[in-house]
Amino acid sequence: MAVSGGFSTEWAPKISGGPKNTAVIDNSSAWRLDKNVPLVIPEINGGKNSEAALIANPNCTTAIGAMVLWPLHQKYKLKNVIMSTYQAASGAGAAGMAELEDGLAAWVKEGKVPPPKAFAHQLPFNVIPQIDAFQKNGYTKEEMKVTWELQKIFGLPDSVKVSCTAVRVPTLRAHSESIVIETE
């Protein structure tokens, strides 16, 4: 289901399972950290997890990084992960992409960018070092998702430290990442 977290929270349990053993794969953040719902990247931890009636899939930045990190973790065992993500306007949906396009068009026509609506700050000709709300530990929720989700998918112990910095960049689509690791 590619729906809001609220919709998924209400409807996924009603749709999943039942007499037809319906499987629900949820793309929202609603179930990602629920201990009773597997967080699955099929190439990494599919197997039995793929047989659950309700399956969560990870945040897009977690999925990108996990595909690179998993084989390294299997062979060398991760000790520390430092990830920087550079996330496109598309990460904020259609409103984010429209704001970038409209801001660039306004700058070309009028020489100035209108005040932001979808973002906390102007995105055209800028980078915004904040995606989502700040948490008590000083990281944003977007940054913490990477930590929490990698721990859950890989089964990482608390001794493996994961740090992420998430930055919104003025491109329409395609996130990118820089990842530095230390292994055992």
Side-chain angles (χ1 to χ4, degrees):
M1 295 192 321
V3 296
S4 70
F7 184 94
S8 180
T9 301
E10 179 180 352
W11 288 98
K14 295 174 184 176
I15 296 170
S16 63
K20 294 186 179 183
N21 197 27
T22 303
V24 171
I25 301 172
D26 181 52
N27 193 39
S28 78
S29 61
W31 302 101
R32 290 178 182 157
L33 300 178
D34 186 303
K35 65 179 180 173
N36 298 314
V37 177
L39 182 61
V40 175
I41 298 175
E43 297 85 350
I44 296 173
N45 65 340
K48 286 281 187 194
N49 286 325
S50 298
E51 297 172 11
L54 176 57
I55 300 168
N57 74 319
N59 179 289
C60 54
T61 54
T62 301
I64 294 166
M67 290 300 292
V68 173
L69 292 171
W70 180 243
L72 296 170
H73 177 58
Q74 287 184 299
K75 187 166 185 173
Y76 302 107
K77 301 296 177 218
L78 294 174
K79 193 172 170 183
N80 291 304
V81 177
I82 302 170
M83 182 185 292
S84 298
T85 70
Y86 308 95
Q87 299 185 31
S90 62
M97 292 176 22
E99 184 167 310
L100 177 59
E101 290 176 316
D102 295 346
L104 292 170
W107 184 82
V108 168
K109 291 177 188 171
E110 304 160 20
K112 63 180 184 175
V113 176
K117 294 178 184 167
F119 301 109
H121 304 281
Q122 166 189 320
L123 186 58
F125 310 106
N126 195 16
V127 295
I128 304 171
Q130 177 187 353
I131 301 176
D132 212 331
F134 280 102
Q135 306 296 290
K136 290 180 182 179
N137 64 2
Y139 285 92
T140 65
K141 189 172 181 185
E142 181 74 11
E143 294 162 342
M144 289 309 302
K145 286 176 190 177
V146 171
T147 300
W148 297 328
E149 293 175 11
L150 283 178
Q151 288 172 334
K152 185 172 179 180
I153 295 165
F154 288 9
L156 296 176
D158 290 340
S159 61
V160 176
K161 303 300 179 196
V162 179
S163 177
C164 180
T165 300
V167 178
R168 185 74 66 200
V169 296
T171 59
L172 280 177
R173 293 180 184 85
H175 300 345
S176 60
E177 297 178 3
S178 166
I179 305 173
V180 177
I181 63 169
E182 179 183 359
T183 61
E184 292 179 4

